[in-house]
Amino acid sequence: MKLARITTYPVKSLTGTDHAAVKVQSMGIAGDRRWAVVYPNGKVATRRELPHMAHLNAVDTEIGVSISFEGSRLDVPFPSGAAVSVRVFSTEVEGVEDAGNYASHFLSSALEREVRLVYFPDHARRPVDRIYAPDGHFTALSDGFPLLLTTQASLAELNAELASPVEMRRFRPNVVIAGDIEPWSEDTWRVLRIGSTILRIVKPCDRCVMTTQDPQTGEQTHPHEPLATLRRIHRSVSGQIIFGQNMVVEEEGSMVLGDEVEVLETGPSNLLDPKRGGMQSF
């Protein structure tokens, strides 16, 4: 098996950036989902309710992040203002920093509603769910875990059942694995080595309405697909629609496209018990 794609999403829910090589830190790939768009009440905005976010592109820079929209570009330096708190779904996240009024004006104009931009600094700490992973693992502004893995074999299996095939970018993975493997093999993987990084799979990824949106435009291409097909062919015992696996970082390191992927530990499918691969394995 080989590492076929590496992608980061510098600003949560904006378009991603592909990489040839990355550093993997305790909170995931360097620069991944360290920024987020938030509403005035502190809730983090996502493409679930703002599909137009697909029209904004974000790229890491040495001094912060660069966001482009319809030919205009906003270069935002790392903020150094007072810390604020935001909410990622029901989780309160402390210690993020506001990026200022100019960034707020640019994004509010692009998205046609009042929003602000915030940054998750290195010193902030957001523990992942201990039901699935032990103490000492953290993430930034992702939905819940530092990295998401998918496989080309599983996408091919899904597309074979769909009238209109979908591309992998709909599922917004950080790492995509290719090779001569069986579809859904990732459900049985527990620990992987990719490059010099060791990663632990902790929870299957349940999918939402974002997978029905074109990743470039945010437009819904079908009201039910690919969710309806996934519901039929790849659900957990508790009913969640699954595609991909969430991971935490066991050992920091680096990854390069083409790196061999070595499975160090396996177990029963974690669709049978989503907690398999989490606390029960330690």
Side-chain angles (χ1 to χ4, degrees):
M1 297 187 295
K2 301 291 184 182
L3 179 58
R5 182 185 294 165
I6 311 168
T7 308
T8 61
Y9 308 89
V11 180
K12 185 177 178 67
S13 271
L14 301 195
T15 57
T17 300
D18 291 339
H19 302 272
V22 292
K23 293 182 180 179
V24 181
Q25 303 165 333
S26 61
M27 289 191 292
I29 298 174
D32 186 43
R33 286 165 295 190
R34 299 295 288 271
W35 303 79
V37 178
V38 300
Y39 301 114
N41 64 3
K43 179 184 176 183
V44 169
T46 76
R47 271 178 40 201
R48 294 166 179 84
E49 73 280 359
L50 286 182
H52 198 60
M53 294 177 81
H55 292 262
L56 285 85
N57 183 64
V59 179
D60 281 320
T61 68
E62 291 185 359
I63 63 166
V65 68
S66 180
I67 301 173
S68 57
F69 173 71
E70 294 185 347
S72 298
R73 191 178 79 181
L74 170 72
D75 293 318
V76 186
F78 296 117
S80 56
V84 297
S85 63
V86 301
R87 275 194 336 278
V88 181
F89 304 116
S90 61
T91 303
E92 199 78 12
V93 182
E94 304 288 342
V96 299
E97 298 171 348
D98 189 278
N101 292 334
Y102 189 70
S104 174
H105 175 76
F106 181 92
L107 293 170
S108 297
S109 177
L111 296 172
E112 300 181 343
R113 62 181 302 164
E114 186 180 354
V115 292
R116 300 191 71 82
L117 182 67
V118 298
Y119 174 68
F120 191 98
D122 290 340
H123 60 264
R125 287 292 177 267
R126 180 187 168 205
V128 302
D129 192 336
R130 289 192 66 251
I131 293 174
Y132 301 99
D135 284 338
H137 287 286
F138 302 92
T139 189
L141 295 168
S142 66
D143 281 0
F145 297 91
L147 293 107
L148 177 64
L149 171 147
T150 60
T151 69
Q152 289 185 348
S154 295
L155 181 65
E157 182 81 354
L158 169 62
N159 279 335
E161 300 287 331
L162 291 172
S164 298
V166 297
E167 60 179 310
M168 188 68 87
R169 293 191 191 279
R170 291 203 182 211
F171 301 98
R172 296 176 68 84
N174 293 114
V175 296
V176 180
I177 307 303
D180 185 17
I181 55 176
E182 291 295 316
W184 319 121
S185 294
E186 62 272 23
D187 301 344
T188 67
W189 298 344
R190 294 294 177 270
V191 182
L192 308 175
R193 178 185 288 115
I194 306 177
S196 60
T197 305
I198 295 182
L199 306 165
R200 179 175 290 273
I201 286 176
V202 293
K203 182 181 180 293
C205 184
D206 51 300
R207 310 313 308 211
C208 71
V209 68
M210 281 179 65
T211 62
T212 69
Q213 299 171 355
D214 184 296
Q216 301 302 316
T217 68
E219 295 178 1
Q220 190 175 64
T221 56
H222 191 285
H224 307 297
E225 295 292 3
L227 294 175
T229 297
L230 280 171
R231 182 181 292 113
R232 176 169 56 85
I233 68 174
H234 201 240
R235 277 191 300 174
S236 70
V237 292
S238 51
Q240 283 90 359
I241 300 169
I242 303 298
F243 192 89
Q245 292 288 338
N246 290 293
M247 303 188 292
V248 296
V249 180
E250 292 278 284
E251 292 187 16
E252 298 181 352
S254 60
M255 297 188 299
V256 178
L257 278 182
D259 273 345
E260 181 179 354
V261 179
E262 182 181 2
V263 179
L264 303 179
E265 182 182 327
T266 61
S269 170
N270 61 7
L271 270 63
L272 302 175
D273 180 356
K275 296 188 182 72
R276 292 185 183 273
M279 288 297 290
Q280 295 183 3
S281 296
F282 291 89

